[in-house]
Amino acid sequence: MNGLEQFKDRNVSQNYYRVKIEPYPKTPWERFKRVVRRSLRLELFVGLKITLMEMLRFKIHTIQYPKEKLPISPRYRAVHKLLRLLESGNERCIGCGLCEKICISNCIRIDTRPDENGRKIPTEYTINFGRCIFCGYCAEVCPELAIVHGQDYEHASEQRAQFALKEDMLTPLDKLKEQKEYPGFGAPTPAADKLIKKTPLAY
Amino acid sequence: MESAFVIETIIKILVVLGLFSALAGFATYVERKVLAFMQRRLGPMHVGPWGLLQVLADGIKLFTKEDFIPQGANRIIFMIAPVITAASAFIAMAAIPMFPEFTIGGYTVRPIISDINVGLLFVLGVMAIGLYGPLLAGMASGNKWSLLGAARTAVQFLSYEVVTGLSVLAPVMIVGSLSLIDFNNYQAGGISNWLVWKQPVAFILFLIAGFAETNRTPFDLLEHEAEVISGYATEYSGMRWGMFFIGEYANMFTIGFLASLIFLGGFNDLGFIPGAIAILLKVFFFIFLFIWARASWPHIRPDQLMWLCWKVLMPIAVINVVITGIVMMF
Amino acid sequence: MYEVVAFYLFAALTITMFTITVMTKNALYAMTSLAAGMIFISAFFFLLDADFLGVVQIIVYSGAVMAVYAFGMMFLDTLKDVKEKNPSKKIVFFLSGMIALLLVIILLTPMISDKVQALYPVSDELGNAEAVGIVLFTKYLVPFEVAAIMLLVAMIAGIILASKRMDESITLKVDEEIEKEVKGSQ
């Protein structure tokens, strides 16, 4: 997390410095002098030295992608996840349809029915990932923290039908123990409790 | 005797062809790796251990790719052009003595295909013919970028041929022969006899001209991506493009052999190192230098190229020849 | 045996190439076959053990034909056939035929009368380059120097022709200035 702190610093111009540009030669004699100066000061060999030193130092920055992966921010917005309630294992979604309403690329579809207890549950929940722009509005608007953005960004597929499967997004029942309380996008920030202020009712 | 000579020559030709095609492939691997290391990357890693089989994969790709001829192109010339580059690169190697003589089963082998007594001129001339490949390819493609590449080829060919010839002239005057074997024998007996110490200016000029003749990076105007897409090779695909590639790398080896034979003592024994290994080390140093320069230096504009050739390199080469002549006279 | 085969092979190739040069209507074919023919000619020098001349043939003519290519690139669309206008074909055929006949007679008569002798035969002691040098700097010294002076004159003339208004840069000029100049010159 600390490594990412530096990127939050928006005051980028503090490290700027002005490059000294030598005046452009005007007369042929000045041009000749510049050529001689540049050739005899062996500026070309400075370039050669830098590349050679880089090679000998062997400080490789390559990430060999499928084998190694860069850590991503917890607030990264990748493929959605549908969460379950930790105790009962029921789906968190209450079928309010806010996500469907707010979705700006219009890719969420919900179908609901009342269950035997009279609660509304979703029978169908699809997100067309071919169309989704991963803006994160759905996760932000969800009152129950039922739909969130996961960390799984490798979602290429050969068929469009596979872009909308609820089974892939929903936490399976047997993996319920592994489901963590979600810290990322759309979830309350860690210090949310402290930030809550008393509603000013003085008037 | 006659038939033995013919068989020997054919075997040598096959060895040179096979060996240098393979070496050209390997040089692409080395180039990608060294360039990557100099830029803090790893280069090819996935095919084989450390990407060693990448060359093979590239070969398969090139051979199986569609051989594409654009509709507006001049078919015959378009098809011949890459062959000229590849063929002339290998023909130039015919007159290069690669290694010292050695014997296999009592039969003395001279590792040179044809020992003509003007070997140096032959190699330079035939290498220059190789630039007809890009020229014809560019003119036959029916594409404006290709035509620009062809025009640049003509310009580069006509100007840097002069520098190559004049820079080699001074060493030729000192040795008094055009045969590369004479050059080698002249420098026998240790590092102090190398021609670099007598002709440092000619050595540098020859190297610069060598970069231009093989159109390597500081002078790779013919196919510079940022300016003319891929220059003469824009319309080429598959093995025809591969032939340009093999020709370029074979020319790199030729220039490496020439520079080490003329200036760096050739295949004479170097202290405890036997001659064959010594010349290989020198050639690989030059190959490395080609790659190194590519990683370090930006390429130059066409007008700067002409400025460099006619206003800097050629006067220096002429002055060098004159001074060499005066020193030899007195 | 090999030499005979090589001679006839290269003779056929050379004649074919130059025939294409003359006959074709496409500038690209003409120039390419000219270059190829020039290089095939060097094979005859190699067959005659005149290595130096063979290599010089390759170097000089490859460069010269490259210059022709540069002109072809500038003046012609090399991918299209050139449309020629011959007002009278008879005159063209007659003149070219007579020139060819004249050349053949000039070159063939000494051969038929067996008067051709090598003034400076190739000797084994001297290398090729030395033999050429000796002939050039003894017997043909004056033509050699005259040729050098002519080349010098041509070079100076070329520089003077090319260096006119060399300091002006068209890229740095504003469009109006160029238009004004064009109008002024008309």
Side-chain angles (χ1 to χ4, degrees):
Chain A
M1 195 69 189
N2 275 334
L4 297 169
E5 283 298 315
Q6 53 177 318
F7 296 114
K8 288 185 179 172
D9 186 10
R10 306 307 300 168
N11 187 16
V12 281
S13 61
Q14 60 188 344
N15 295 325
Y16 284 7
Y17 64 93
R18 197 165 283 279
V19 179
K20 269 181 199 159
I21 301 171
E22 50 181 311
Y24 196 77
K26 294 215 171 52
T27 59
W29 171 242
E30 278 175 358
R31 239 173 273 154
F32 176 74
K33 274 198 297 189
R34 188 176 71 167
V35 169
V36 171
R37 194 169 62 240
R38 284 187 173 173
S39 334
L40 295 187
R41 268 167 63 195
L42 302 177
E43 287 176 344
L44 283 174
F45 291 88
V46 178
L48 282 182
K49 196 186 111 192
I50 286 173
T51 41
L52 187 69
M53 289 313 289
E54 284 301 332
M55 190 174 113
L56 296 180
R57 225 175 274 148
F58 206 69
K59 228 166 72 183
I60 302 296
H61 290 239
T62 306
I63 305 291
Q64 297 186 58
Y65 164 62
K67 294 180 205 158
E68 305 167 9
K69 283 174 191 170
L70 280 174
I72 56 173
S73 160
R75 296 183 65 79
Y76 190 84
R77 303 196 296 265
V79 174
H80 305 69
K81 274 183 185 166
L82 286 174
L83 301 185
R84 286 178 187 274
L85 287 169
L86 288 177
E87 293 85 5
S88 62
N90 288 336
E91 285 179 42
R92 283 190 183 187
C93 182
I94 55 169
C96 65
L98 277 174
C99 45
E100 192 183 12
K101 267 268 189 289
I102 203 166
C103 180
I104 49 173
S105 52
N106 218 358
C107 60
I108 302 183
R109 286 284 173 277
I110 308 185
D111 218 2
T112 56
R113 67 171 170 83
D115 71 346
E116 54 271 18
N117 302 329
R119 286 183 62 201
K120 224 178 177 187
I121 55 162
T123 51
E124 288 293 330
Y125 191 99
T126 58
I127 301 180
N128 185 350
F129 288 117
R131 220 189 235 193
C132 177
I133 60 166
F134 299 96
C135 61
Y137 280 7
C138 49
E140 210 162 340
V141 81
C142 184
E144 295 292 312
L145 207 59
I147 180 159
V148 296
H149 278 291
Q151 307 275 313
D152 181 20
Y153 52 84
E154 292 156 321
H155 56 281
S157 176
E158 291 166 353
Q159 299 208 340
R160 284 188 189 176
Q162 292 166 356
F163 279 140
L165 295 181
K166 184 186 175 190
E167 302 90 77
D168 292 341
M169 291 187 287
L170 189 64
T171 314
L173 268 177
D174 52 330
K175 296 260 176 73
L176 192 60
K177 291 260 170 58
E178 292 166 28
Q179 179 183 309
K180 298 257 167 55
E181 198 45 54
Y182 184 68
F185 193 83
T189 51
D193 287 341
K194 284 174 202 159
L195 292 174
I196 293 175
K197 284 176 192 153
K198 238 181 182 179
T199 317
L201 292 173
Y203 47 92
Chain B
M1 179 58 213
E2 180 94 325
S3 60
F5 171 74
V6 171
I7 292 169
E8 189 196 336
T9 310
I10 289 175
I11 290 175
K12 279 181 199 165
I13 290 172
L14 289 179
V15 166
V16 165
L17 250 175
L19 194 68
F20 279 94
S21 300
L23 271 180
F26 187 66
T28 62
Y29 172 77
V30 173
E31 166 151 29
R32 288 162 81 169
K33 273 295 184 196
V34 172
L35 277 184
F37 291 157
M38 285 177 172
Q39 295 160 356
R40 296 189 182 172
R41 296 185 288 114
L42 274 174
M45 286 293 285
H46 290 295
V47 194
W50 281 84
L52 262 171
L53 297 178
Q54 185 73 41
V55 182
L56 208 66
D58 280 345
I60 293 170
K61 184 199 79 174
L62 283 180
F63 270 109
T64 51
K65 227 173 170 180
E66 185 188 352
D67 186 16
F68 192 89
I69 298 173
Q71 200 177 22
N74 189 329
R75 285 185 70 90
I76 300 173
I77 309 275
F78 187 87
M79 283 158 77
I80 288 175
V83 183
I84 294 176
T85 304
S88 67
F90 285 111
I91 292 171
M93 285 177 178
I96 297 179
M98 310 265 180
F99 300 115
E101 291 179 12
F102 57 94
T103 46
I104 301 175
Y107 188 80
T108 311
V109 180
R110 302 182 69 206
I112 174 170
I113 293 172
S114 166
D115 180 19
I116 54 176
N117 57 14
V118 287
L120 175 58
L121 272 186
F122 179 83
V123 175
L124 289 179
V126 176
M127 258 188 71
I129 293 287
L131 279 174
Y132 266 93
L135 180 83
L136 290 175
M139 289 183 78
S141 285
N143 177 324
K144 289 194 175 65
W145 305 114
S146 303
L147 191 66
L148 278 177
R152 289 175 173 202
T153 315
V155 161
Q156 202 160 317
F157 174 91
L158 289 176
S159 26
Y160 274 86
E161 194 71 340
V162 178
V163 179
T164 325
L166 283 177
S167 68
V168 172
L169 195 55
V172 167
M173 282 159 66
I174 290 179
V175 176
S177 166
L178 284 165
S179 164
L180 286 169
I181 295 179
D182 289 350
F183 267 95
N184 178 66
N185 296 340
Y186 180 83
Q187 303 173 70
I191 295 180
S192 57
N193 284 13
W194 285 7
L195 265 175
V196 207
W197 315 126
K198 286 184 186 169
Q199 288 290 341
V201 180
F203 176 63
I204 292 168
L205 289 178
F206 182 78
L207 265 190
I208 295 175
F211 272 88
E213 293 237 336
T214 50
N215 54 66
R216 296 291 301 176
T217 278
F219 309 117
D220 69 336
L221 301 170
L222 314 191
E223 45 173 346
H224 190 253
E225 294 92 349
E227 291 173 356
V228 285
I229 306 199
S230 193
Y232 63 89
T234 307
E235 300 284 1
Y236 280 86
S237 66
M239 208 49 218
R240 289 196 194 281
W241 182 82
M243 275 191 245
F244 279 126
F245 210 65
I246 289 174
E248 181 182 331
Y249 280 84
N251 272 340
M252 271 166 68
F253 277 100
T254 312
I255 286 284
F257 269 109
L258 270 190
S260 24
L261 276 169
I262 299 173
F263 293 103
L264 293 187
F267 48 77
N268 293 305
D269 293 350
L270 185 66
F272 61 92
I273 307 173
I277 296 175
I279 192 167
L280 275 185
L281 286 177
K282 291 165 200 165
V283 170
F284 280 114
F285 169 73
F286 281 113
I287 299 290
F288 180 73
L289 184 72
F290 276 117
I291 301 168
W292 192 8
R294 181 172 174 182
S296 310
W297 296 337
H299 94 136
I300 62 177
R301 290 197 310 262
D303 64 316
Q304 288 170 329
L305 184 82
M306 291 297 102
W307 172 86
L308 188 68
C309 175
W310 293 108
K311 290 190 178 170
V312 181
L313 298 183
M314 205 190 70
I316 292 177
V318 172
I319 292 169
N320 188 37
V321 169
V322 170
I323 290 176
T324 312
I326 291 173
V327 170
M328 279 174 72
M329 207 198 273
F330 301 110
Chain C
M1 208 275 278
Y2 293 109
E3 285 176 359
V4 175
V5 172
F7 175 78
Y8 282 110
L9 177 70
F10 282 108
L13 276 172
T14 313
I15 291 172
T16 319
M17 285 303 152
F18 285 132
T19 313
I20 294 174
T21 310
V22 177
M23 293 299 180
T24 184
K25 281 182 179 172
N26 188 320
L28 192 56
Y29 285 146
M31 291 186 291
T32 311
S33 53
L34 181 67
M38 288 297 182
I39 287 161
F40 285 140
I41 283 181
S42 74
F44 298 116
F45 289 111
F46 284 114
L47 283 177
L48 293 170
D49 281 339
D51 297 344
F52 182 74
L53 282 181
V55 172
V56 165
Q57 168 88 16
I58 291 181
I59 291 178
V60 169
Y61 280 100
S62 66
V65 179
M66 188 70 91
V68 175
Y69 271 100
F71 282 112
M73 227 181 282
M74 277 190 274
F75 296 136
L76 301 167
D77 184 354
T78 45
L79 291 172
K80 286 185 185 137
D81 288 354
V82 177
K83 278 179 190 152
E84 292 166 336
K85 269 188 192 167
N86 293 335
S88 116
K89 283 190 177 172
K90 280 180 193 166
I91 294 178
V92 173
F93 281 121
F94 177 72
L95 284 179
S96 51
M98 290 313 281
I99 291 169
L101 190 68
L102 210 63
L103 280 174
V104 169
I105 291 171
I106 290 170
L107 291 177
L108 270 190
T109 33
M111 276 185 220
I112 292 169
S113 65
D114 249 357
K115 290 271 169 57
V116 177
Q117 280 176 350
L119 282 174
Y120 297 89
V122 175
S123 61
D124 288 336
E125 297 122 50
L126 286 172
N128 243 297
E130 287 93 332
V132 172
I134 288 169
V135 176
L136 216 54
F137 286 103
T138 53
K139 192 176 178 206
Y140 297 111
L141 180 63
V142 177
F144 181 70
E145 296 291 342
V146 169
I149 289 171
M150 276 172 68
L151 283 177
L152 189 67
V153 169
M155 194 172 82
I156 293 171
I159 289 172
I160 287 174
L161 277 178
S163 67
K164 260 186 200 168
R165 299 171 56 172
M166 220 177 192
D167 294 335
E168 283 181 37
S169 160
I170 297 175
T171 41
L172 292 179
K173 262 185 192 168
V174 193
D175 283 352
E176 286 111 51
E177 282 179 47
I178 297 173
E179 274 172 25
K180 211 183 282 173
E181 269 176 36
V182 171
K183 270 178 195 166
S185 66
Q186 275 170 357

